[in-house]
Amino acid sequence: MKTYLIGFISLSMLFISCQTGKKLISNAQEIQRSEEQLDEFFSSLMDTLNMPGLSVAIINQSKIVYLKTMGVKEAGKAAPIDQETYFEAASLSKPVFAYFVMKQVEKGLIDLDKPLYQYLPYPDIAYDERYKTITARMVLSHSSGFPNWREDSLKIQFEPGTNYLYSGEGYKYLAQVIAAVNEVPFSQLDSLFQQEVAHPIGASKLRYLWNEDIAHNKASGHQEGKPTHNKRDYKDNDFGAAGGLNTEAESYAKYLISIFEGKVISPELTREMFKEQMALPEDDINAMLLGASGWSLGYGMIPTKNGTCYWHAGNNDDFQSWMHFYPDKKYGIVLFTNSDKIQHPIFFDLFFNYMEDGFKFDFDKLK
């Protein structure tokens, strides 16, 4: 491992640029850094962790004030990451889909507390009568009782609504319900998403289905420094609500801004999204490492001295991602990388210590 502490410690002390005329970018605590300082930080972070590529955006007061792409699409090749490059969002797909669901609530097509089977029966779990109590609210707050992904047949792990268990399976079922209530084929659900969410907010690179633009511009994933050559292309018209979004930092930042500004759903429904729905168990990994306390409708929640931080991470192994935001401050940050490095302990330690003064990664809990 490279020695990096001296460089990062000295860099992190430069909270405010002393040079006049420099563009200053704030974090949640309104500590300011110049664009050049942030460039140096992210460049050093990539070098320290051997990250091939990065797409990052920072939002201040509902405006994208820092937007950068760095590195290459594939290790050993010259093609650079640029604003046209797609990354796999992995589980950062879930918050965007939750927003899409809330649009259906606003349209009156979905009631958060009406059992989903009343909209669309689910043969995969029909043998277990408990599934008839599962609602959209439970799915979005990960309290449906479904596992993350089934190993064999789909099984409910506990009485729905009584506990927390992170679940991609729930999102898979809910996506089918959304298609059914809109009376569109599941293969065309992304077209509805484009019409109701992506196009209105000007986020052309929020895509749940494979297309030629993605085929031409997508980065290659990497594991242990080696390219994986996009082992998941999502070419089968499967709307991957839980992990199938392909995107980049600018489009995702526009999604966050649309939340802050109420561009797609009403302020009332936005407030509903931000309410805690389910407390995290004390032994949950995110509670232990990040201090996360609960889950809202689509987002994890971390109490900090700067207020409640809403967050989500994504991990497809060879693509990883991270975002967090403070809605009251209209501040947020989103990062995508074509590697397995964001969920590395060193990344969290350096990133939180430099970018945010509200919470940090707890290394002791890894022991």
Side-chain angles (χ1 to χ4, degrees):
M1 183 182 300
K2 298 181 180 180
T3 59
Y4 59 85
L5 289 178
I6 294 177
F8 273 106
I9 290 172
S10 61
L11 186 61
S12 66
M13 295 301 291
L14 297 174
F15 288 150
I16 301 177
S17 173
C18 297
Q19 303 178 47
T20 60
K22 294 289 186 181
K23 179 180 179 181
L24 297 178
I25 294 142
S26 299
N27 70 0
Q29 202 176 4
E30 298 185 3
I31 293 174
Q32 295 180 317
R33 298 177 177 84
S34 71
E35 185 173 3
E36 290 78 8
Q37 286 173 317
L38 289 170
D39 287 348
E40 185 176 351
F41 169 74
F42 286 114
S43 178
S44 297
L45 185 64
M46 291 177 65
D47 184 57
T48 298
L49 290 171
N50 192 29
M51 299 169 72
L54 183 71
S55 177
V56 56
I58 299 175
I59 302 163
N60 284 179
Q61 294 300 311
S62 292
K63 297 185 184 299
I64 299 174
V65 293
Y66 183 82
L67 179 64
K68 289 296 173 74
T69 57
M70 302 176 179
V72 294
K73 292 181 178 181
E74 183 176 331
K77 296 187 177 181
I81 300 290
D82 58 27
Q83 299 297 343
E84 301 303 313
T85 305
Y86 283 88
F87 295 77
E88 291 181 13
S91 285
L92 258 63
S93 308
K94 292 182 177 73
V96 179
F97 177 71
Y99 195 46
F100 184 36
V101 171
M102 297 304 282
K103 181 64 178 178
Q104 312 314 307
V105 174
E106 187 167 69
K107 289 162 55 181
L109 294 181
I110 286 283
D111 184 314
L112 287 171
D113 298 309
K114 182 176 178 178
L116 294 181
Y117 92 96
Q118 295 184 20
Y119 299 108
L120 181 71
Y122 198 30
D124 292 17
I125 194 66
Y127 70 90
D128 190 332
E129 285 289 310
R130 292 179 298 174
Y131 107 92
K132 291 185 177 181
T133 66
I134 294 173
T135 66
R137 188 185 300 275
M138 293 177 192
V139 168
L140 298 181
S141 60
H142 295 292
S143 58
S144 67
F146 286 157
N148 189 16
W149 297 112
R150 70 189 80 184
E151 294 183 2
D152 186 7
S153 60
L154 182 58
K155 298 177 182 178
I156 295 175
Q157 308 298 307
F158 51 76
E159 195 68 29
T162 64
N163 207 340
Y164 170 88
L165 180 62
Y166 188 82
S167 173
E169 289 284 356
Y171 273 71
K172 180 179 179 180
Y173 178 25
L174 183 53
Q176 294 178 45
V177 171
I178 297 302
V181 298
N182 280 282
E183 298 180 346
V184 299
F186 191 64
S187 62
Q188 295 180 19
L189 191 55
D190 186 62
S191 296
L192 182 65
F193 170 78
Q194 297 302 316
Q195 175 187 329
E196 295 188 346
V197 177
H199 291 167
I201 66 176
S204 61
K205 287 184 167 56
L206 287 174
R207 294 280 178 178
Y208 281 95
L209 289 190
W210 188 265
N211 63 18
E212 289 304 313
D213 189 32
I214 298 172
H216 182 69
N217 291 302
K218 186 176 177 181
S220 172
H222 294 75
Q223 282 185 274
E224 298 181 355
K226 298 179 180 179
T228 58
H229 302 293
N230 297 328
K231 60 185 180 184
R232 289 170 302 277
D233 287 342
Y234 298 105
K235 294 179 180 177
D236 56 358
N237 288 325
D238 181 19
F239 185 98
L245 186 70
N246 285 283
T247 189
E248 44 76 44
E250 182 178 22
S251 288
Y252 208 94
K254 288 180 178 180
Y255 147 68
L256 293 181
I257 291 170
S258 74
I259 298 174
F260 302 157
E261 297 300 306
K263 292 182 178 180
V264 172
I265 62 174
S266 68
E268 180 182 6
L269 281 179
T270 300
R271 288 191 293 271
E272 187 68 21
M273 285 192 78
F274 292 151
K275 292 179 182 177
E276 181 178 298
Q277 306 291 324
M278 182 60 59
L280 294 188
E282 291 183 0
D283 60 353
D284 179 80
I285 187 69
N286 296 308
M288 293 191 297
L289 298 182
L290 298 172
S293 60
W295 213 269
S296 66
L297 296 177
Y299 314 96
M301 305 170 70
I302 302 174
T304 80
K305 63 184 179 181
N306 302 320
T308 300
C309 175
Y310 294 83
W311 70 280
H312 213 293
N315 181 11
N316 277 355
D317 295 327
D318 55 341
F319 284 88
Q320 292 183 348
S321 51
W322 173 269
M323 71 90 175
H324 70 260
F325 64 93
Y326 294 80
D328 292 342
K329 297 176 179 292
K330 298 184 178 181
Y331 163 82
I333 182 167
V334 55
L335 303 97
F336 295 97
T337 183
N338 55 336
S339 70
D340 52 357
K341 302 300 183 181
I342 279 186
Q343 296 192 19
H344 191 292
I346 290 176
F347 172 86
F348 283 123
D349 185 52
L350 297 177
F351 176 68
F352 291 148
N353 275 314
Y354 183 77
M355 292 300 303
E356 305 295 342
D357 193 31
F359 60 90
K360 65 180 293 183
F361 189 87
D362 191 343
F363 275 95
D364 291 338
K365 295 297 194 304
L366 285 176
K367 297 177 181 177

